[in-house]
Amino acid sequence: MSPTPRWLNAQERRAWLAYQDFSTHLSDYLNRQLRRDSGLTRYDYVLLVHLSEAPERALAMSELARLLKITRSRLTHAVTRLQDAGYVRRREDPENPRSQLAVLTDDGTRLMEQAAPRHVEAVRRTVFDVLTPEQVRQFAEIGESINAALQRVDDTGADPDALPWRRR
């Protein structure tokens, strides 16, 4: 016999449904904004952000997949698409010849310089401008707590289906 589910109480259900609604709407809105203003998907943008912040604008493909929480196959497709557009190039990792680095090109840097101000304004307008400073602090703490719990679940292997993007 399976255990009785721990159903959500009214406040938890309200919070969960609000999260489901705003995360879907926010993701769609930011994806549309990036597509319209820069021709990028949200995932492409985050990939380029990670490269722009890395030393020498380069990261190992395996590290980039880990940061983006996507499979290497999905990353390969994204990098190939960005490479075809001239925003990223690949090169051999001098520290590990079996590994490749994704490198942000000068064109990719220019794209980020153009895309970032508009994207940050969209994030500010839809998230931070509608929250008080106390709510921003709480929002950060909530996100960090949930991310830490997900990392613990993933690290222990207690629930392998909970994080399908981390399956190996």
Side-chain angles (χ1 to χ4, degrees):
M1 184 188 230
S2 60
T4 303
R6 294 182 332 137
W7 298 110
L8 303 179
N9 66 35
Q11 190 65 8
E12 291 167 337
R13 186 174 184 279
R14 176 181 169 224
W16 180 247
L17 292 175
Y19 163 76
Q20 289 292 313
D21 286 347
F22 90 69
S23 66
T24 299
H25 291 135
L26 183 61
S27 180
D28 289 347
Y29 172 77
L30 293 176
N31 218 15
R32 284 192 317 272
Q33 177 272 316
L34 283 164
R35 284 260 192 217
R36 180 188 66 240
D37 293 347
S38 308
L40 294 170
T41 67
R42 195 169 50 89
Y43 287 105
D44 291 344
Y45 180 82
V46 173
L47 186 156
L48 295 174
V49 165
H50 282 296
L51 291 177
S52 72
E53 294 175 347
E56 299 180 36
R57 301 183 312 188
L59 284 170
M61 293 284 282
S62 58
E63 176 65 6
L64 198 48
R66 186 190 67 74
L67 290 168
L68 295 170
K69 296 169 183 54
I70 60 175
T71 64
R72 288 186 188 183
S73 173
R74 186 168 176 197
L75 176 64
T76 297
H77 290 295
V79 169
T80 298
R81 190 174 57 255
L82 292 168
Q83 186 174 8
D84 290 346
Y87 302 133
V88 173
R89 66 182 171 83
R90 290 180 232 211
R91 72 169 194 225
E92 187 177 286
D93 185 343
E95 296 178 16
N96 181 358
R98 297 182 309 160
S99 178
Q100 280 193 323
L101 298 176
V103 182
L104 186 66
T105 65
D106 291 342
D107 285 346
T109 299
R110 281 189 286 280
L111 176 66
M112 291 304 293
E113 289 169 350
Q114 177 265 324
R118 292 179 186 164
H119 185 64
V120 169
E121 181 53 37
V123 170
R124 177 167 297 291
R125 186 175 50 253
T126 57
V127 178
F128 296 106
D129 287 351
V130 300
L131 300 176
T132 66
E134 177 62 16
Q135 288 173 319
V136 171
R137 184 191 63 73
Q138 291 170 343
F139 187 54
E141 289 177 2
I142 290 165
E144 291 163 356
S145 293
I146 292 170
N147 281 328
L150 289 168
Q151 187 62 49
R152 283 191 305 275
V153 168
D154 191 34
D155 288 347
T156 64
D159 187 5
D161 293 327
L163 301 172
W165 62 85
R166 297 250 182 125
R167 286 189 199 138
R168 288 170 179 72

